[in-house]
Amino acid sequence: MVKIICETGYCSGVNKAINKLSKAAKESNKVFLLHPLLHNIDENDKLMKENNASYLEDSSDYEDNSSLLFSAHGYRFSDYEKYKDKLKLFYGTCPIILARYKLLEKNNNDYYYIFLGKGNHEETMCFIDNFPFLHLIDTNLDLNEQIKKLKVKNKKIFFIPQTTISNLKKEECLSILEKDNDVIKKLDICLSYYNRIKEIDTFLSKVNKVSILLIIGDKLSSNANEIFNFVKNKYPDIEVYIENSFERIKEIDIKNKDIFLTSATSTSKENVLLIKKQIENYLL
Ligand code: SF4
């Protein structure tokens, strides 16, 4: 059996970024990006090629009517200042992240702002750059140690998690902070991604045969990794892989097993359906 077990394909934020890319391509001679538009390098490169987009470098020549497109994960305000008079700007940034920028622009000295995220993720790095008053807690490091170092006590906390971190990490961090502080405001992780995990959980909880879960996506994708970690921890008997192409999947022993499919939010539904067909043909 080869079965897609939950919602797959791009989330609304990634869809918006792709629409902005084609709008920028139609309305300008040349489109530049500073970072990948989405965390799926194969799909990103294909989209850039189709839209004649390239990465902006110091040596890049701006033709008249060239544009700069900010990626789905966010942008730095310093880049806005640097390029606003030289290039036409397009915002591929997810509306959830843009809404958070707006909220933080009205920062209030009454709060102690904490951002919980992967320190090396573009979304986190942009937040920290744009809002220097944020205190970063890195999900890649020990939470207790970092909170101890911050010496945060009796504060009114405003808590912002990166949109695609683990819900468990978020809850763990909140429970440590809440011991000595009042967490007055807390934002949540992104439901587009988290609902996928919940659907996967509901489905896998009823599975009892030897099976494989294939997360179609790029290993760079934060949400693909979070789905992977969630399944690995909760369902250790299920083999789980993040792969972006049938060529790689063929190297896994998939015969005589149930194959379940999901995808990262930066992988197209077309790619998931194509890979499903390729697996079915291979297993015939
Ligand atoms: S996963 Fe959520 S936060 Fe990230 S781009 Fe998609 S909708 Fe936006």
Side-chain angles (χ1 to χ4, degrees):
M1 180 189 16
V2 186
K3 188 177 169 65
I4 296 173
I5 62 167
C6 65
E7 174 72 27
T8 59
Y10 298 137
C11 58
S12 56
V14 169
N15 262 323
K16 179 203 153 189
I18 294 170
N19 289 338
K20 286 281 172 175
L21 173 59
S22 67
K23 185 172 161 59
K26 276 189 202 121
E27 293 181 11
S28 42
N29 295 336
K30 178 87 192 145
V31 183
F32 290 107
L33 277 89
L34 292 165
H35 305 279
L37 187 64
L38 46 117
H39 278 165
N40 185 322
I41 291 304
D42 291 349
E43 299 209 14
N44 182 75
D45 290 354
K46 186 167 162 261
L47 286 162
M48 282 180 70
K49 205 167 163 197
E50 284 167 3
N51 289 280
N52 190 26
S54 58
Y55 291 110
L56 186 62
E57 288 165 14
D58 288 341
S59 57
S60 299
D61 266 343
Y62 317 137
E63 297 167 32
D64 278 350
N65 196 25
S66 293
S67 63
L68 175 65
L69 172 65
F70 292 128
S71 83
H73 314 103
Y75 68 95
R76 286 168 180 75
F77 295 169
S78 53
D79 285 327
Y80 166 83
E81 289 298 334
K82 189 169 169 189
Y83 297 111
K84 70 178 190 315
D85 298 326
K86 299 177 184 153
L87 292 157
K88 195 167 162 186
L89 301 181
F90 286 86
Y91 296 82
T93 303
C94 175
I96 296 174
I97 293 171
L98 290 179
R100 290 178 180 199
Y101 288 176
K102 278 223 160 74
L103 194 64
L104 289 172
E105 272 163 351
K106 295 186 215 133
N107 81 81
N108 177 335
N109 286 337
D110 285 353
Y111 293 120
Y112 186 93
Y113 289 85
I114 287 195
F115 188 94
L116 175 70
K118 295 171 187 171
N120 55 355
H121 191 281
E122 187 60 17
E123 179 184 331
T124 299
M125 292 192 289
C126 287
F127 269 100
I128 299 303
D129 244 58
N130 293 342
F131 304 102
F133 56 85
L134 290 175
H135 299 270
L136 172 66
I137 298 178
D138 188 335
T139 54
N140 295 318
L141 306 173
D142 185 283
L143 299 185
N144 269 302
E145 284 298 313
Q146 293 177 86
I147 294 171
K148 213 193 274 175
K149 266 196 199 144
L150 283 178
K151 295 189 179 140
V152 50
K153 248 187 173 128
N154 302 323
K155 300 278 187 204
K156 287 184 198 165
I157 290 185
F158 194 128
F159 177 82
I160 305 117
Q162 186 193 321
T163 50
T164 52
I165 55 164
S166 134
N167 195 49
L168 283 177
K169 277 266 178 204
K170 181 200 82 182
E171 293 300 333
E172 185 189 342
C173 185
L174 279 170
S175 80
I176 303 170
L177 289 169
E178 277 164 348
K179 277 186 207 149
D180 295 318
N181 301 280
D182 214 355
V183 181
I184 309 262
K185 294 207 179 202
K186 46 185 160 187
L187 305 184
D188 212 345
I189 57 174
C190 170
L191 286 181
S192 292
Y193 131 78
Y194 189 53
N195 285 342
R196 248 175 231 202
I197 290 201
K198 288 206 273 192
E199 272 188 82
I200 293 167
D201 190 20
T202 306
F203 183 88
L204 293 183
S205 65
K206 296 176 195 135
V207 166
N208 48 22
K209 199 177 156 227
V210 177
S211 53
I212 291 181
L213 177 71
L214 297 173
I215 304 160
I216 311 300
D218 195 309
K219 292 187 172 80
L220 261 185
S221 155
S222 171
N223 68 83
N225 281 289
E226 291 307 338
I227 297 171
F228 178 93
N229 292 334
F230 173 83
V231 174
K232 199 94 191 135
N233 289 331
K234 186 154 182 194
Y235 300 99
D237 294 338
I238 292 176
E239 286 177 56
V240 53
Y241 302 90
I242 303 172
E243 293 298 350
N244 217 12
S245 75
F246 174 64
E247 292 314 308
R248 296 292 306 269
I249 292 168
K250 258 193 330 191
E251 290 168 20
I252 305 167
D253 178 15
I254 55 173
K255 293 196 171 146
N256 303 316
K257 292 173 187 167
D258 282 343
I259 317 289
F260 304 131
L261 298 178
T262 180
S263 86
T265 57
S266 45
T267 298
S268 66
K269 203 164 257 181
E270 289 70 32
N271 199 27
V272 178
L273 292 173
L274 172 69
I275 288 176
K276 178 173 183 280
K277 191 111 225 107
Q278 288 170 320
I279 298 173
E280 284 167 342
N281 289 340
Y282 176 72
L283 293 175
L284 276 180

